[in-house]
PDB file of all heavy atoms in Angstrom:
ATOM      1  N   ALA S 248      -6.541  -5.910   8.100  1.00  0.00           N
ATOM      2  CA  ALA S 248      -7.653  -5.322   8.840  1.00  0.00           C
ATOM      3  C   ALA S 248      -7.153  -4.141   9.678  1.00  0.00           C
ATOM      4  O   ALA S 248      -6.213  -4.308  10.445  1.00  0.00           O
ATOM      5  CB  ALA S 248      -8.314  -6.391   9.759  1.00  0.00           C
ATOM      6  N   ALA S 249      -7.794  -3.040   9.472  1.00  0.00           N
ATOM      7  CA  ALA S 249      -7.365  -1.805  10.159  1.00  0.00           C
ATOM      8  C   ALA S 249      -8.429  -1.407  11.245  1.00  0.00           C
ATOM      9  O   ALA S 249      -9.613  -1.581  11.068  1.00  0.00           O
ATOM     10  CB  ALA S 249      -7.220  -0.615   9.156  1.00  0.00           C
ATOM     11  N   SER S 250      -7.915  -0.888  12.288  1.00  0.00           N
ATOM     12  CA  SER S 250      -8.782  -0.332  13.418  1.00  0.00           C
ATOM     13  C   SER S 250      -8.151   0.883  13.973  1.00  0.00           C
ATOM     14  O   SER S 250      -6.908   1.082  13.874  1.00  0.00           O
ATOM     15  CB  SER S 250      -9.021  -1.406  14.479  1.00  0.00           C
ATOM     16  OG  SER S 250      -7.794  -1.798  15.046  1.00  0.00           O
ATOM     17  N   GLY S 251      -9.013   1.721  14.566  1.00  0.00           N
ATOM     18  CA  GLY S 251      -8.523   2.939  15.180  1.00  0.00           C
ATOM     19  C   GLY S 251      -8.224   4.065  14.224  1.00  0.00           C
ATOM     20  O   GLY S 251      -7.634   5.087  14.653  1.00  0.00           O
ATOM     21  N   ILE S 252      -8.653   3.940  12.952  1.00  0.00           N
ATOM     22  CA  ILE S 252      -8.366   5.017  11.984  1.00  0.00           C
ATOM     23  C   ILE S 252      -9.683   5.231  11.179  1.00  0.00           C
ATOM     24  O   ILE S 252     -10.509   4.324  11.126  1.00  0.00           O
ATOM     25  CB  ILE S 252      -7.265   4.663  10.999  1.00  0.00           C
ATOM     26  CG1 ILE S 252      -7.545   3.394  10.191  1.00  0.00           C
ATOM     27  CG2 ILE S 252      -5.927   4.537  11.741  1.00  0.00           C
ATOM     28  CD1 ILE S 252      -6.528   3.095   9.107  1.00  0.00           C
ATOM     29  N   ALA S 253      -9.766   6.380  10.549  1.00  0.00           N
ATOM     30  CA  ALA S 253     -10.845   6.655   9.639  1.00  0.00           C
ATOM     31  C   ALA S 253     -10.524   6.013   8.280  1.00  0.00           C
ATOM     32  O   ALA S 253     -10.054   6.660   7.336  1.00  0.00           O
ATOM     33  CB  ALA S 253     -11.075   8.132   9.466  1.00  0.00           C
ATOM     34  N   PHE S 254     -10.705   4.765   8.210  1.00  0.00           N
ATOM     35  CA  PHE S 254     -10.185   3.918   7.053  1.00  0.00           C
ATOM     36  C   PHE S 254     -10.655   4.448   5.733  1.00  0.00           C
ATOM     37  O   PHE S 254      -9.910   4.541   4.778  1.00  0.00           O
ATOM     38  CB  PHE S 254     -10.602   2.460   7.259  1.00  0.00           C
ATOM     39  CG  PHE S 254     -10.125   1.521   6.189  1.00  0.00           C
ATOM     40  CD1 PHE S 254      -8.812   1.073   6.230  1.00  0.00           C
ATOM     41  CD2 PHE S 254     -10.951   1.161   5.147  1.00  0.00           C
ATOM     42  CE1 PHE S 254      -8.380   0.181   5.244  1.00  0.00           C
ATOM     43  CE2 PHE S 254     -10.498   0.309   4.190  1.00  0.00           C
ATOM     44  CZ  PHE S 254      -9.150  -0.194   4.225  1.00  0.00           C
ATOM     45  N   ASP S 255     -11.961   4.805   5.626  1.00  0.00           N
ATOM     46  CA  ASP S 255     -12.461   5.185   4.322  1.00  0.00           C
ATOM     47  C   ASP S 255     -11.970   6.510   3.821  1.00  0.00           C
ATOM     48  O   ASP S 255     -12.166   6.911   2.685  1.00  0.00           O
ATOM     49  CB  ASP S 255     -14.005   5.215   4.305  1.00  0.00           C
ATOM     50  CG  ASP S 255     -14.551   6.058   5.446  1.00  0.00           C
ATOM     51  OD1 ASP S 255     -13.823   6.680   6.173  1.00  0.00           O
ATOM     52  OD2 ASP S 255     -15.824   6.132   5.525  1.00  0.00           O
ATOM     53  N   SER S 256     -11.223   7.240   4.656  1.00  0.00           N
ATOM     54  CA  SER S 256     -10.660   8.515   4.228  1.00  0.00           C
ATOM     55  C   SER S 256      -9.112   8.438   3.976  1.00  0.00           C
ATOM     56  O   SER S 256      -8.479   9.432   3.734  1.00  0.00           O
ATOM     57  CB  SER S 256     -10.897   9.602   5.286  1.00  0.00           C
ATOM     58  OG  SER S 256     -10.206   9.310   6.470  1.00  0.00           O
ATOM     59  N   LYS S 257      -8.623   7.249   4.037  1.00  0.00           N
ATOM     60  CA  LYS S 257      -7.159   6.988   3.867  1.00  0.00           C
ATOM     61  C   LYS S 257      -6.805   6.244   2.555  1.00  0.00           C
ATOM     62  O   LYS S 257      -7.419   5.261   2.314  1.00  0.00           O
ATOM     63  CB  LYS S 257      -6.546   6.289   5.047  1.00  0.00           C
ATOM     64  CG  LYS S 257      -6.482   7.160   6.332  1.00  0.00           C
ATOM     65  CD  LYS S 257      -5.532   6.602   7.290  1.00  0.00           C
ATOM     66  CE  LYS S 257      -5.396   7.503   8.551  1.00  0.00           C
ATOM     67  NZ  LYS S 257      -4.734   8.721   8.154  1.00  0.00           N
ATOM     68  N   SER S 258      -5.853   6.772   1.834  1.00  0.00           N
ATOM     69  CA  SER S 258      -5.258   6.004   0.779  1.00  0.00           C
ATOM     70  C   SER S 258      -4.328   4.963   1.426  1.00  0.00           C
ATOM     71  O   SER S 258      -3.496   5.365   2.307  1.00  0.00           O
ATOM     72  CB  SER S 258      -4.489   6.882  -0.188  1.00  0.00           C
ATOM     73  OG  SER S 258      -5.373   7.768  -0.868  1.00  0.00           O
ATOM     74  N   MET S 259      -4.391   3.746   0.994  1.00  0.00           N
ATOM     75  CA  MET S 259      -3.648   2.627   1.628  1.00  0.00           C
ATOM     76  C   MET S 259      -2.696   1.981   0.689  1.00  0.00           C
ATOM     77  O   MET S 259      -2.792   2.061  -0.538  1.00  0.00           O
ATOM     78  CB  MET S 259      -4.599   1.612   2.177  1.00  0.00           C
ATOM     79  CG  MET S 259      -5.571   2.075   3.254  1.00  0.00           C
ATOM     80  SD  MET S 259      -4.719   2.614   4.790  1.00  0.00           S
ATOM     81  CE  MET S 259      -4.117   1.008   5.359  1.00  0.00           C
ATOM     82  N   GLY S 260      -1.746   1.314   1.250  1.00  0.00           N
ATOM     83  CA  GLY S 260      -0.715   0.640   0.419  1.00  0.00           C
ATOM     84  C   GLY S 260      -0.285  -0.660   1.022  1.00  0.00           C
ATOM     85  O   GLY S 260      -0.423  -0.907   2.220  1.00  0.00           O
ATOM     86  N   TRP S 261       0.254  -1.521   0.181  1.00  0.00           N
ATOM     87  CA  TRP S 261       0.946  -2.747   0.543  1.00  0.00           C
ATOM     88  C   TRP S 261       2.464  -2.566   0.291  1.00  0.00           C
ATOM     89  O   TRP S 261       2.828  -2.009  -0.678  1.00  0.00           O
ATOM     90  CB  TRP S 261       0.405  -3.987  -0.241  1.00  0.00           C
ATOM     91  CG  TRP S 261      -0.878  -4.488   0.327  1.00  0.00           C
ATOM     92  CD1 TRP S 261      -2.118  -4.287  -0.118  1.00  0.00           C
ATOM     93  CD2 TRP S 261      -0.971  -5.431   1.383  1.00  0.00           C
ATOM     94  NE1 TRP S 261      -3.023  -4.972   0.564  1.00  0.00           N
ATOM     95  CE2 TRP S 261      -2.372  -5.662   1.595  1.00  0.00           C
ATOM     96  CE3 TRP S 261      -0.100  -6.063   2.281  1.00  0.00           C
ATOM     97  CZ2 TRP S 261      -2.846  -6.514   2.518  1.00  0.00           C
ATOM     98  CZ3 TRP S 261      -0.609  -6.909   3.201  1.00  0.00           C
ATOM     99  CH2 TRP S 261      -1.974  -7.125   3.343  1.00  0.00           C
ATOM    100  N   TYR S 262       3.193  -2.983   1.310  1.00  0.00           N
ATOM    101  CA  TYR S 262       4.630  -2.892   1.226  1.00  0.00           C
ATOM    102  C   TYR S 262       5.229  -4.316   1.457  1.00  0.00           C
ATOM    103  O   TYR S 262       4.549  -5.203   2.017  1.00  0.00           O
ATOM    104  CB  TYR S 262       5.155  -2.052   2.381  1.00  0.00           C
ATOM    105  CG  TYR S 262       4.593  -0.611   2.402  1.00  0.00           C
ATOM    106  CD1 TYR S 262       3.318  -0.356   2.761  1.00  0.00           C
ATOM    107  CD2 TYR S 262       5.418   0.435   2.013  1.00  0.00           C
ATOM    108  CE1 TYR S 262       2.784   0.974   2.779  1.00  0.00           C
ATOM    109  CE2 TYR S 262       4.926   1.763   2.054  1.00  0.00           C
ATOM    110  CZ  TYR S 262       3.641   1.976   2.420  1.00  0.00           C
ATOM    111  OH  TYR S 262       3.165   3.299   2.431  1.00  0.00           O
ATOM    112  N   ARG S 263       6.456  -4.531   1.055  1.00  0.00           N
ATOM    113  CA  ARG S 263       7.095  -5.768   1.320  1.00  0.00           C
ATOM    114  C   ARG S 263       8.556  -5.530   1.670  1.00  0.00           C
ATOM    115  O   ARG S 263       9.187  -4.583   1.182  1.00  0.00           O
ATOM    116  CB  ARG S 263       6.956  -6.772   0.175  1.00  0.00           C
ATOM    117  CG  ARG S 263       7.784  -6.463  -1.002  1.00  0.00           C
ATOM    118  CD  ARG S 263       7.549  -7.472  -2.109  1.00  0.00           C
ATOM    119  NE  ARG S 263       8.265  -7.160  -3.343  1.00  0.00           N
ATOM    120  CZ  ARG S 263       8.013  -7.696  -4.542  1.00  0.00           C
ATOM    121  NH1 ARG S 263       7.081  -8.669  -4.619  1.00  0.00           N
ATOM    122  NH2 ARG S 263       8.669  -7.321  -5.574  1.00  0.00           N
ATOM    123  N   GLN S 264       9.080  -6.446   2.461  1.00  0.00           N
ATOM    124  CA  GLN S 264      10.547  -6.342   2.815  1.00  0.00           C
ATOM    125  C   GLN S 264      11.081  -7.742   2.560  1.00  0.00           C
ATOM    126  O   GLN S 264      10.728  -8.718   3.257  1.00  0.00           O
ATOM    127  CB  GLN S 264      10.705  -5.968   4.283  1.00  0.00           C
ATOM    128  CG  GLN S 264      12.154  -5.694   4.625  1.00  0.00           C
ATOM    129  CD  GLN S 264      12.320  -4.932   5.943  1.00  0.00           C
ATOM    130  OE1 GLN S 264      11.388  -4.871   6.755  1.00  0.00           O
ATOM    131  NE2 GLN S 264      13.494  -4.315   6.108  1.00  0.00           N
ATOM    132  N   ALA S 265      11.984  -7.790   1.582  1.00  0.00           N
ATOM    133  CA  ALA S 265      12.680  -9.037   1.284  1.00  0.00           C
ATOM    134  C   ALA S 265      13.887  -9.186   2.213  1.00  0.00           C
ATOM    135  O   ALA S 265      14.381  -8.183   2.715  1.00  0.00           O
ATOM    136  CB  ALA S 265      13.111  -9.070  -0.177  1.00  0.00           C
ATOM    137  N   PRO S 266      14.321 -10.415   2.389  1.00  0.00           N
ATOM    138  CA  PRO S 266      15.481 -10.637   3.244  1.00  0.00           C
ATOM    139  C   PRO S 266      16.693  -9.756   2.906  1.00  0.00           C
ATOM    140  O   PRO S 266      17.048  -9.777   1.699  1.00  0.00           O
ATOM    141  CB  PRO S 266      15.751 -12.096   3.132  1.00  0.00           C
ATOM    142  CG  PRO S 266      14.508 -12.710   2.679  1.00  0.00           C
ATOM    143  CD  PRO S 266      13.816 -11.691   1.871  1.00  0.00           C
ATOM    144  N   GLY S 267      17.214  -8.967   3.778  1.00  0.00           N
ATOM    145  CA  GLY S 267      18.400  -8.218   3.532  1.00  0.00           C
ATOM    146  C   GLY S 267      18.137  -6.927   2.682  1.00  0.00           C
ATOM    147  O   GLY S 267      19.112  -6.278   2.310  1.00  0.00           O
ATOM    148  N   LYS S 268      16.899  -6.634   2.452  1.00  0.00           N
ATOM    149  CA  LYS S 268      16.576  -5.445   1.648  1.00  0.00           C
ATOM    150  C   LYS S 268      15.709  -4.490   2.431  1.00  0.00           C
ATOM    151  O   LYS S 268      15.057  -4.851   3.438  1.00  0.00           O
ATOM    152  CB  LYS S 268      15.906  -5.858   0.339  1.00  0.00           C
ATOM    153  CG  LYS S 268      16.778  -6.699  -0.575  1.00  0.00           C
ATOM    154  CD  LYS S 268      16.089  -6.935  -1.897  1.00  0.00           C
ATOM    155  CE  LYS S 268      16.975  -7.666  -2.861  1.00  0.00           C
ATOM    156  NZ  LYS S 268      16.381  -7.895  -4.204  1.00  0.00           N
ATOM    157  N   GLN S 269      15.616  -3.294   1.878  1.00  0.00           N
ATOM    158  CA  GLN S 269      14.727  -2.270   2.508  1.00  0.00           C
ATOM    159  C   GLN S 269      13.263  -2.553   2.152  1.00  0.00           C
ATOM    160  O   GLN S 269      12.985  -3.131   1.128  1.00  0.00           O
ATOM    161  CB  GLN S 269      15.145  -0.861   2.085  1.00  0.00           C
ATOM    162  CG  GLN S 269      16.427  -0.393   2.666  1.00  0.00           C
ATOM    163  CD  GLN S 269      16.654   1.104   2.412  1.00  0.00           C
ATOM    164  OE1 GLN S 269      16.200   1.634   1.408  1.00  0.00           O
ATOM    165  NE2 GLN S 269      17.386   1.748   3.293  1.00  0.00           N
ATOM    166  N   ARG S 270      12.403  -2.045   3.014  1.00  0.00           N
ATOM    167  CA  ARG S 270      10.955  -2.137   2.728  1.00  0.00           C
ATOM    168  C   ARG S 270      10.637  -1.344   1.482  1.00  0.00           C
ATOM    169  O   ARG S 270      11.131  -0.201   1.368  1.00  0.00           O
ATOM    170  CB  ARG S 270      10.212  -1.679   3.912  1.00  0.00           C
ATOM    171  CG  ARG S 270       8.707  -1.933   3.843  1.00  0.00           C
ATOM    172  CD  ARG S 270       8.043  -1.494   5.140  1.00  0.00           C
ATOM    173  NE  ARG S 270       8.368  -2.336   6.296  1.00  0.00           N
ATOM    174  CZ  ARG S 270       8.341  -1.976   7.553  1.00  0.00           C
ATOM    175  NH1 ARG S 270       8.013  -0.698   7.849  1.00  0.00           N
ATOM    176  NH2 ARG S 270       8.639  -2.781   8.493  1.00  0.00           N
ATOM    177  N   GLU S 271       9.774  -1.911   0.631  1.00  0.00           N
ATOM    178  CA  GLU S 271       9.389  -1.189  -0.627  1.00  0.00           C
ATOM    179  C   GLU S 271       7.873  -1.222  -0.754  1.00  0.00           C
ATOM    180  O   GLU S 271       7.219  -2.156  -0.316  1.00  0.00           O
ATOM    181  CB  GLU S 271      10.015  -1.888  -1.834  1.00  0.00           C
ATOM    182  CG  GLU S 271       9.592  -3.271  -2.095  1.00  0.00           C
ATOM    183  CD  GLU S 271      10.091  -3.801  -3.465  1.00  0.00           C
ATOM    184  OE1 GLU S 271      10.358  -3.036  -4.359  1.00  0.00           O
ATOM    185  OE2 GLU S 271      10.129  -5.069  -3.527  1.00  0.00           O
ATOM    186  N   LYS S 272       7.330  -0.187  -1.369  1.00  0.00           N
ATOM    187  CA  LYS S 272       5.923  -0.084  -1.596  1.00  0.00           C
ATOM    188  C   LYS S 272       5.597  -0.848  -2.892  1.00  0.00           C
ATOM    189  O   LYS S 272       6.235  -0.575  -3.910  1.00  0.00           O
ATOM    190  CB  LYS S 272       5.478   1.329  -1.679  1.00  0.00           C
ATOM    191  CG  LYS S 272       3.976   1.532  -1.659  1.00  0.00           C
ATOM    192  CD  LYS S 272       3.643   3.051  -1.926  1.00  0.00           C
ATOM    193  CE  LYS S 272       4.369   4.012  -0.999  1.00  0.00           C
ATOM    194  NZ  LYS S 272       4.007   5.399  -1.289  1.00  0.00           N
ATOM    195  N   VAL S 273       4.620  -1.718  -2.910  1.00  0.00           N
ATOM    196  CA  VAL S 273       4.309  -2.486  -4.081  1.00  0.00           C
ATOM    197  C   VAL S 273       2.961  -2.156  -4.701  1.00  0.00           C
ATOM    198  O   VAL S 273       2.770  -2.347  -5.927  1.00  0.00           O
ATOM    199  CB  VAL S 273       4.387  -4.009  -3.848  1.00  0.00           C
ATOM    200  CG1 VAL S 273       5.782  -4.432  -3.422  1.00  0.00           C
ATOM    201  CG2 VAL S 273       3.393  -4.503  -2.820  1.00  0.00           C
ATOM    202  N   ALA S 274       2.053  -1.630  -3.935  1.00  0.00           N
ATOM    203  CA  ALA S 274       0.759  -1.325  -4.477  1.00  0.00           C
ATOM    204  C   ALA S 274       0.017  -0.259  -3.546  1.00  0.00           C
ATOM    205  O   ALA S 274       0.247  -0.283  -2.385  1.00  0.00           O
ATOM    206  CB  ALA S 274      -0.151  -2.550  -4.581  1.00  0.00           C
ATOM    207  N   THR S 275      -0.741   0.616  -4.207  1.00  0.00           N
ATOM    208  CA  THR S 275      -1.506   1.581  -3.453  1.00  0.00           C
ATOM    209  C   THR S 275      -2.929   1.716  -4.016  1.00  0.00           C
ATOM    210  O   THR S 275      -3.168   1.372  -5.174  1.00  0.00           O
ATOM    211  CB  THR S 275      -0.880   2.982  -3.496  1.00  0.00           C
ATOM    212  OG1 THR S 275      -0.846   3.465  -4.854  1.00  0.00           O
ATOM    213  CG2 THR S 275       0.517   2.957  -2.967  1.00  0.00           C
ATOM    214  N   ILE S 276      -3.853   2.111  -3.127  1.00  0.00           N
ATOM    215  CA  ILE S 276      -5.216   2.311  -3.541  1.00  0.00           C
ATOM    216  C   ILE S 276      -5.697   3.573  -2.863  1.00  0.00           C
ATOM    217  O   ILE S 276      -5.608   3.765  -1.661  1.00  0.00           O
ATOM    218  CB  ILE S 276      -6.115   1.091  -3.241  1.00  0.00           C
ATOM    219  CG1 ILE S 276      -7.533   1.336  -3.834  1.00  0.00           C
ATOM    220  CG2 ILE S 276      -6.133   0.747  -1.786  1.00  0.00           C
ATOM    221  CD1 ILE S 276      -8.326   0.095  -3.867  1.00  0.00           C
ATOM    222  N   SER S 277      -6.305   4.518  -3.613  1.00  0.00           N
ATOM    223  CA  SER S 277      -6.712   5.741  -3.055  1.00  0.00           C
ATOM    224  C   SER S 277      -8.142   5.570  -2.512  1.00  0.00           C
ATOM    225  O   SER S 277      -8.803   4.532  -2.605  1.00  0.00           O
ATOM    226  CB  SER S 277      -6.748   6.832  -4.120  1.00  0.00           C
ATOM    227  OG  SER S 277      -7.816   6.589  -5.055  1.00  0.00           O
ATOM    228  N   VAL S 278      -8.673   6.681  -1.960  1.00  0.00           N
ATOM    229  CA  VAL S 278     -10.015   6.671  -1.358  1.00  0.00           C
ATOM    230  C   VAL S 278     -11.060   6.481  -2.463  1.00  0.00           C
ATOM    231  O   VAL S 278     -12.172   6.045  -2.206  1.00  0.00           O
ATOM    232  CB  VAL S 278     -10.280   7.932  -0.536  1.00  0.00           C
ATOM    233  CG1 VAL S 278      -9.375   7.952   0.698  1.00  0.00           C
ATOM    234  CG2 VAL S 278     -10.135   9.192  -1.358  1.00  0.00           C
ATOM    235  N   ILE S 279     -10.700   6.909  -3.682  1.00  0.00           N
ATOM    236  CA  ILE S 279     -11.646   6.711  -4.805  1.00  0.00           C
ATOM    237  C   ILE S 279     -11.240   5.459  -5.624  1.00  0.00           C
ATOM    238  O   ILE S 279     -11.694   5.297  -6.750  1.00  0.00           O
ATOM    239  CB  ILE S 279     -11.772   7.966  -5.702  1.00  0.00           C
ATOM    240  CG1 ILE S 279     -10.372   8.302  -6.221  1.00  0.00           C
ATOM    241  CG2 ILE S 279     -12.356   9.121  -4.932  1.00  0.00           C
ATOM    242  CD1 ILE S 279     -10.442   9.405  -7.366  1.00  0.00           C
ATOM    243  N   ARG S 280     -10.445   4.633  -5.023  1.00  0.00           N
ATOM    244  CA  ARG S 280     -10.067   3.347  -5.593  1.00  0.00           C
ATOM    245  C   ARG S 280      -9.178   3.371  -6.831  1.00  0.00           C
ATOM    246  O   ARG S 280      -9.152   2.446  -7.641  1.00  0.00           O
ATOM    247  CB  ARG S 280     -11.260   2.435  -5.850  1.00  0.00           C
ATOM    248  CG  ARG S 280     -11.914   1.995  -4.532  1.00  0.00           C
ATOM    249  CD  ARG S 280     -13.167   1.114  -4.757  1.00  0.00           C
ATOM    250  NE  ARG S 280     -13.626   0.412  -3.581  1.00  0.00           N
ATOM    251  CZ  ARG S 280     -14.258   0.935  -2.586  1.00  0.00           C
ATOM    252  NH1 ARG S 280     -14.619   2.199  -2.641  1.00  0.00           N
ATOM    253  NH2 ARG S 280     -14.598   0.225  -1.527  1.00  0.00           N
ATOM    254  N   THR S 281      -8.485   4.513  -6.989  1.00  0.00           N
ATOM    255  CA  THR S 281      -7.438   4.572  -7.984  1.00  0.00           C
ATOM    256  C   THR S 281      -6.242   3.717  -7.520  1.00  0.00           C
ATOM    257  O   THR S 281      -5.880   3.821  -6.332  1.00  0.00           O
ATOM    258  CB  THR S 281      -6.946   5.970  -8.223  1.00  0.00           C
ATOM    259  OG1 THR S 281      -8.072   6.809  -8.645  1.00  0.00           O
ATOM    260  CG2 THR S 281      -5.915   6.036  -9.319  1.00  0.00           C
ATOM    261  N   THR S 282      -5.750   2.867  -8.370  1.00  0.00           N
ATOM    262  CA  THR S 282      -4.653   1.963  -7.941  1.00  0.00           C
ATOM    263  C   THR S 282      -3.359   2.280  -8.676  1.00  0.00           C
ATOM    264  O   THR S 282      -3.370   2.863  -9.800  1.00  0.00           O
ATOM    265  CB  THR S 282      -5.053   0.511  -8.217  1.00  0.00           C
ATOM    266  OG1 THR S 282      -5.312   0.320  -9.582  1.00  0.00           O
ATOM    267  CG2 THR S 282      -6.245   0.133  -7.400  1.00  0.00           C
ATOM    268  N   ASP S 283      -2.264   1.866  -8.074  1.00  0.00           N
ATOM    269  CA  ASP S 283      -0.961   2.057  -8.673  1.00  0.00           C
ATOM    270  C   ASP S 283      -0.054   0.873  -8.172  1.00  0.00           C
ATOM    271  O   ASP S 283      -0.283   0.384  -7.065  1.00  0.00           O
ATOM    272  CB  ASP S 283      -0.286   3.390  -8.336  1.00  0.00           C
ATOM    273  CG  ASP S 283       0.874   3.723  -9.172  1.00  0.00           C
ATOM    274  OD1 ASP S 283       1.009   3.159 -10.279  1.00  0.00           O
ATOM    275  OD2 ASP S 283       1.716   4.558  -8.806  1.00  0.00           O
ATOM    276  N   TYR S 284       0.884   0.493  -9.038  1.00  0.00           N
ATOM    277  CA  TYR S 284       1.721  -0.687  -8.719  1.00  0.00           C
ATOM    278  C   TYR S 284       3.192  -0.445  -9.051  1.00  0.00           C
ATOM    279  O   TYR S 284       3.486   0.263  -9.978  1.00  0.00           O
ATOM    280  CB  TYR S 284       1.249  -1.878  -9.500  1.00  0.00           C
ATOM    281  CG  TYR S 284      -0.203  -2.289  -9.219  1.00  0.00           C
ATOM    282  CD1 TYR S 284      -1.247  -1.738 -10.012  1.00  0.00           C
ATOM    283  CD2 TYR S 284      -0.535  -3.137  -8.188  1.00  0.00           C
ATOM    284  CE1 TYR S 284      -2.605  -2.074  -9.745  1.00  0.00           C
ATOM    285  CE2 TYR S 284      -1.839  -3.458  -7.914  1.00  0.00           C
ATOM    286  CZ  TYR S 284      -2.864  -2.928  -8.674  1.00  0.00           C
ATOM    287  OH  TYR S 284      -4.180  -3.235  -8.396  1.00  0.00           O
ATOM    288  N   ALA S 285       4.027  -1.107  -8.278  1.00  0.00           N
ATOM    289  CA  ALA S 285       5.420  -1.111  -8.669  1.00  0.00           C
ATOM    290  C   ALA S 285       5.593  -1.897  -9.930  1.00  0.00           C
ATOM    291  O   ALA S 285       4.790  -2.842 -10.245  1.00  0.00           O
ATOM    292  CB  ALA S 285       6.243  -1.771  -7.478  1.00  0.00           C
ATOM    293  N   ASP S 286       6.514  -1.540 -10.700  1.00  0.00           N
ATOM    294  CA  ASP S 286       6.724  -2.194 -12.047  1.00  0.00           C
ATOM    295  C   ASP S 286       6.953  -3.700 -11.879  1.00  0.00           C
ATOM    296  O   ASP S 286       6.547  -4.530 -12.689  1.00  0.00           O
ATOM    297  CB  ASP S 286       7.948  -1.610 -12.783  1.00  0.00           C
ATOM    298  CG  ASP S 286       7.666  -0.194 -13.317  1.00  0.00           C
ATOM    299  OD1 ASP S 286       6.493   0.162 -13.412  1.00  0.00           O
ATOM    300  OD2 ASP S 286       8.610   0.489 -13.636  1.00  0.00           O
ATOM    301  N   SER S 287       7.566  -4.108 -10.753  1.00  0.00           N
ATOM    302  CA  SER S 287       7.876  -5.517 -10.553  1.00  0.00           C
ATOM    303  C   SER S 287       6.679  -6.414 -10.320  1.00  0.00           C
ATOM    304  O   SER S 287       6.728  -7.616 -10.509  1.00  0.00           O
ATOM    305  CB  SER S 287       8.819  -5.669  -9.310  1.00  0.00           C
ATOM    306  OG  SER S 287       8.220  -5.135  -8.173  1.00  0.00           O
TER     307      SER S 287
END
């Protein structure tokens, strides 16, 4: 849940950080709902 931003004008993403690893982007969705995913 997002607040304080113009949410509908932002492309958003999900990220994850595994133990001992850097944060990585796993999925994104654009303002027109185009999606993209990490191969994993």
Side-chain angles (χ1 to χ4, degrees):
S250 58
I252 60 172
F254 182 81
D255 55 359
S256 67
K257 287 197 177 292
S258 294
M259 297 295 293
W261 279 98
Y262 302 73
R263 72 182 176 195
Q264 187 165 21
K268 294 188 177 181
Q269 288 191 331
R270 188 177 290 157
E271 61 171 339
K272 192 185 308 180
V273 298
T275 61
I276 184 165
S277 74
V278 295
I279 58 170
R280 291 180 165 79
T281 302
T282 59
D283 195 21
Y284 300 92
D286 288 344
S287 58

